[in-house]
Each structure stands twice: as C-alpha cells, then as structure tokens.
Amino acid sequence: METKAKIHDISIDFETGKQVISLVCEKDIRGEYDRLKDKECRLKVVQYREGRSLDANAYFHVLVGKIAEVMDCSKVFIKNKMIAEYGQYEKINGKLITIPLDDDIEAYDVEFCHLQPTTQTTINTAGKIFRINIVMRGSHTYDTKEMSELIKGTVQEAKALGIETATPQEIKEMEERWGLKIEKEKVNHR
C-alpha cells in the first residue's frame, strides 16, 4: 500500500511505551487496513514529491539526441554524461554504490547502467588498473524536482552548443503540464 498522507499526531502507548503515529491519507485505505491490521508491517515515511511525467523524460531524450548529433557522439554517451553531471546518485542504505571498471573502458559508453567516473583508481594483484565509478539513477526514476534539475543542466549544455531549446516559459508550462498529468495518472490508478 502506498498513498500520499500527512502526519496527524504522535503519541505514546503507556502500556508498551511505544510510539503511535496517526496519518491522514489521501485515498481510501480501509481495504488495506482490514487486510493488514493484525500483521506486522514495515513503515517508511518520506517527504512527498510529485512524480514526473513521461513527457519530462521524453524532452530530456530529445535534447540528448540533438546534443549527440552536434557532437557526433552516441546517444548513450551523451545520456550517461548528462546523468553523471546533472542526475541523481543511486544509494543503498544511504550509501553510494561504486563499480570498478577496467581503466580502458569509457564509463559513458556503458549501456547496462549509468556511471559517474571518479579520479580514484585501484590496482588488482596482476597490476591491472581499475577506475572507480559511482552508479547513477536512471532518469525514469526521477521525481519532478530531480527531472527539472536534469533538464536544466542538459538545456545549458545544448545552448552552449548553439542548439535551440524550449524557452524558460515553455519549460515552465511543460512542468505545469507534467504535474497535471501526474495527478491524472494517480487518479486513474486508484
């Protein structure tokens, strides 16, 4: 079960000494409550952020294509470079994930994940050098704020190459439409 909610109250159960939290939920969760009420559950409360629409991701990919064409590079290279420079780190238990790759491999050409190369290297017992790379999240996982940051940086890169981009007003309007589409998608999935 996942829903948008606000924390309403917190109290202490005097019998057990444990905290009791009450939430005000946006959607009707009574069915889930009935299903889970006597079971042990895991709760993770995080600040709510709007999810981003696929249009935001589509615009990012359009810009990637234009930059790749001007720079005569692959779209994979440019997408990875933009995500490495303006995207979000992948974390597990709050820690960055790193991958050592053969130092001869260009991290931006890797297709199975998005990597941000570092200056750190390590050497194996055979004397081979490996570059440490930080794993980045794929853009399809970004919320509206994260996608906005990625697009803002990608637009700057495109403009520096003389590529025509949407105006700030058009981008603002797209962001507003993204928010409306996200809300519509959420209503349709209830």
Side-chain angles (χ1 to χ4, degrees):
M1 164 181 59
E2 187 172 322
T3 184
K4 181 178 175 182
K6 285 190 178 179
I7 297 175
H8 179 262
D9 193 16
I10 190 165
S11 60
I12 301 291
D13 180 323
F14 291 109
E15 190 175 309
T16 64
K18 293 186 178 179
Q19 298 175 20
V20 178
I21 189 167
S22 98
L23 304 168
V24 177
C25 301
E26 289 283 317
K27 73 178 186 180
D28 186 348
I29 62 164
R30 288 177 287 191
E32 289 295 308
Y33 171 78
D34 289 339
R35 187 175 69 80
L36 296 171
K37 69 180 173 185
D38 296 322
K39 297 186 174 129
E40 198 165 307
C41 299
R42 179 173 23 153
L43 176 67
K44 178 180 181 180
V45 179
V46 295
Q47 182 180 350
Y48 178 79
R49 294 201 192 279
E50 295 288 339
R52 56 104 193 125
S53 75
L54 293 177
D55 287 340
N57 207 18
Y59 183 60
F60 168 66
H61 284 86
V62 166
L63 292 174
V64 163
K66 289 179 179 183
I67 293 169
E69 189 175 317
V70 168
M71 293 187 67
D72 196 27
C73 294
S74 73
K75 290 179 185 177
V76 169
F77 182 93
I78 297 301
K79 179 180 177 179
N80 286 337
K81 189 173 189 317
M82 295 300 102
I83 288 175
E85 292 184 20
Y86 306 108
Q88 303 296 314
Y89 296 113
E90 184 68 75
K91 295 180 181 179
I92 295 179
N93 296 324
K95 295 182 181 177
L96 296 177
I97 303 165
T98 59
I99 295 178
L101 282 182
D102 187 317
D103 199 35
D104 296 337
I105 297 174
E106 172 55 64
Y108 296 149
D109 286 330
V110 173
E111 293 191 48
F112 66 88
C113 65
H114 308 293
L115 300 172
Q116 183 183 72
T118 69
T119 57
Q120 184 181 354
T121 58
T122 188
I123 300 173
N124 70 6
T125 55
K128 186 143 183 76
I129 299 173
F130 291 85
R131 173 135 342 256
I132 304 301
N133 298 274
I134 302 171
V135 178
M136 306 297 291
R137 287 178 32 219
S139 60
H140 68 282
T141 67
Y142 293 5
D143 64 25
T144 304
K145 180 182 177 195
E146 294 166 338
M147 183 58 79
S148 180
E149 291 172 14
L150 178 62
I151 289 174
K152 184 188 289 184
T154 306
V155 164
Q156 290 172 351
E157 298 282 339
K159 284 182 177 180
L161 294 168
I163 296 169
E164 187 175 332
T165 63
T167 66
Q169 182 60 35
E170 289 169 328
I171 291 172
K172 181 180 176 191
E173 290 169 7
M174 277 191 271
E175 289 172 348
E176 288 170 4
R177 286 194 303 269
W178 296 336
L180 292 174
K181 284 185 179 182
I182 292 164
E183 285 305 313
K184 185 177 178 182
E185 288 172 10
K186 287 180 182 176
V187 168
N188 290 337
H189 286 94
R190 287 184 184 162

